[in-house]
Amino acid sequence: MEKFLNDIDNIIDDLEFHNIRFISNQLLNTIDHETTSLLKENKLDNIQVNIKINYLLGLINKLKLQIDCSISFFTKALELAKEIDDEVWLARIYSKLSLLSCYNNSSLVEHFSSTAIKYSKNIDSCKIKSFVYLEKIETAYLLKHPLLSVQSYMNEINDMLIDSQEKYVVRIFMALSFLKIYVLKDISKGLTYCEKALNLALKYNMLNEETIINLYISKFYMTYIIKAKDVIRILEPIILEDKYDSINMEIKVLIFLELTRAYLEEKRISKAEDGITFIVNNLSSISPILAKNVNIVLLYFKSRIELYNNNFKIALEYALECEDLYNDLEINHRLFGHEFDLKTTLCEIYSNLDDYKKAITYCTSLLKKEDTFTVIMKKKLYF
């Protein structure tokens, strides 16, 4: 128990910016077991410790996408933090409640968010302020608010951390790079944050983080400029070099997903099939929610392979099954943005089956979300 309590601050920091895509399911279950056992077997009179334990359980359930359970633990932590008027923990907890309320009670989001910001103003810690500000940005994104309204928080994070060499900064720069590239479409700034994060990850030998940054960059290449060869160049060394053996299986599966996508773009079908085989063989080693999403992406891959082999009816079966399973997922359980690729694949399949009416229907649904030029340039949908 003593060792766990001594490590609890580091454990919390490690989980703060983890994402269900990247966190080791085995590690998460181990921490969950240790924390719940500690609560059951010990009477803890220290309010600070109780705040941390409930906060940690809130984080664990947030990563499991058990939203109501997560809110319950954060609420318990909040009641304790109010007892001792601890502004650091009040800011952190209100920030988490704001983010989670996006999923089930949006009327409370703004109250929680503004309260978190209020408490954060009196905090000296750049790390905690950055946590709160990033969650303010994520909340605005989830509620589809104009992100220019929270640009000041990005600027403040940048000003606080621009010259920092602290280890925790790696994950904050990773989050900023993702926001800049994929949300604000500020590619240049996003890649600058990627570079800063990557340099620090290499300095501290943070292999998981280094790999995730390379995944971000690879996804950017595949999504925006269709440079499959660069994706293969970046990611293949990670699956071939011994030093990466220690990265967790979730991240390995994600590497093979992105590599398989690149192999399909390059029409290297046998390599793509090898990637699919690796993923299928390791699905039982990752979290159930991630596995469910990965299974959906695998159907998309199989559809692409059959399309390349001119087996259009089989390709259509896989694509429609993929679409049905994707639509059945709860929105907050959708971990991959493959909707665009799936719809363009359905366009191609229906076109090859001479069913142009359905092909145009899928094209039209794409054009509602993206500008015509981007769609044409991405997949060359000239038919």
Side-chain angles (χ1 to χ4, degrees), residues 1-107:
M1 180 181 82
E2 187 176 343
K3 182 180 184 306
F4 182 78
L5 291 178
N6 287 337
D7 289 344
I8 195 167
D9 287 322
N10 290 330
I11 294 169
I12 287 171
D13 282 353
D14 282 345
L15 295 186
E16 276 288 4
F17 280 113
H18 265 303
N19 180 297
I20 194 170
R21 296 171 180 84
F22 307 128
I23 185 73
S24 162
N25 190 49
Q26 182 182 359
L27 174 64
L28 196 59
N29 287 335
T30 300
I31 297 171
D32 193 5
H33 174 73
E34 289 181 353
T35 312
T36 51
S37 297
L38 185 67
L39 275 182
K40 286 178 184 176
E41 296 167 10
N42 298 275
K43 188 175 188 298
L44 300 170
D45 297 323
N46 187 309
I47 290 180
Q48 277 276 359
V49 171
N50 272 300
I51 291 171
K52 292 176 183 180
I53 287 174
N54 281 286
Y55 188 87
L56 178 55
L57 286 166
L59 284 176
I60 290 167
N61 282 281
K62 175 178 176 284
L63 283 166
K64 291 182 175 181
L65 297 180
Q66 296 173 351
I67 304 301
D68 290 338
C69 193
S70 180
I71 288 173
S72 176
F73 281 114
F74 283 126
T75 302
K76 288 178 189 174
L78 180 63
E79 291 166 0
L80 293 165
K82 284 179 177 178
E83 284 185 33
I84 57 174
D85 196 27
D86 188 316
E87 291 188 325
V88 170
W89 284 106
L90 286 169
R92 294 179 81 167
I93 297 163
Y94 274 117
S95 181
K96 284 291 185 297
L97 288 171
S98 171
L99 192 58
L100 291 167
S101 295
C102 294
Y103 297 110
N104 66 359
N105 193 348
S106 59
S107 64

Side-chain angles (χ1 to χ4, degrees), residues 167-301:
K167 189 175 181 180
Y168 73 86
V169 173
V170 173
R171 294 194 185 109
I172 293 173
F173 281 159
M174 285 166 66
L176 284 172
S177 70
F178 185 84
L179 285 165
K180 286 288 187 181
I181 292 173
Y182 299 109
V183 178
L184 292 175
K185 305 295 188 283
D186 186 344
I187 308 303
S188 175
K189 192 68 173 177
L191 290 177
T192 299
Y193 281 124
C194 271
E195 185 179 351
K196 289 180 179 179
L198 188 58
N199 288 337
L200 282 174
L202 291 168
K203 175 181 177 180
Y204 290 109
N205 196 31
M206 298 167 73
L207 288 178
N208 279 354
E209 283 73 12
E210 177 194 335
T211 309
I212 293 166
I213 295 162
N214 281 317
L215 275 168
Y216 280 171
I217 294 169
S218 299
K219 188 173 176 61
F220 161 70
Y221 279 136
M222 280 300 296
T223 303
Y224 293 103
I225 52 180
I226 317 295
K227 277 198 168 185
K229 286 180 181 174
D230 283 328
V231 172
I232 295 166
R233 174 182 57 78
I234 293 166
L235 294 183
E236 270 192 344
I238 297 173
I239 63 171
L240 297 173
E241 292 180 17
D242 292 343
K243 77 167 187 171
Y244 294 101
D245 287 348
S246 63
I247 62 176
N248 69 50
M249 185 53 68
E250 282 74 9
I251 296 176
K252 287 179 182 175
V253 166
L254 292 169
I255 291 169
F256 273 94
L257 279 177
E258 208 60 40
L259 265 176
T260 302
R261 190 178 170 206
Y263 289 142
L264 287 172
E265 190 69 31
E266 288 292 299
K267 296 184 173 59
R268 295 170 65 179
I269 304 304
S270 63
K271 279 282 193 181
E273 289 172 338
D274 289 343
I276 290 171
T277 299
F278 176 89
I279 294 163
V280 170
N281 289 342
N282 290 283
L283 278 177
S284 61
S285 301
I286 62 179
S287 76
I289 294 170
L290 180 57
K292 187 179 286 190
N293 277 267
V294 169
N295 266 318
I296 292 171
V297 180
L298 289 176
L299 287 168
Y300 160 69
F301 288 160

Side-chain angles (χ1 to χ4, degrees), residues 323 326-327 334 336-346 362 365-366 369:
E323 184 180 43
Y326 179 81
N327 289 336
R334 294 177 184 174
F336 299 107
H338 281 71
E339 186 179 1
F340 181 94
D341 293 325
L342 176 61
K343 287 187 175 180
T344 54
T345 296
L346 281 161
Y362 279 103
S365 69
L366 284 172
K369 293 189 175 183

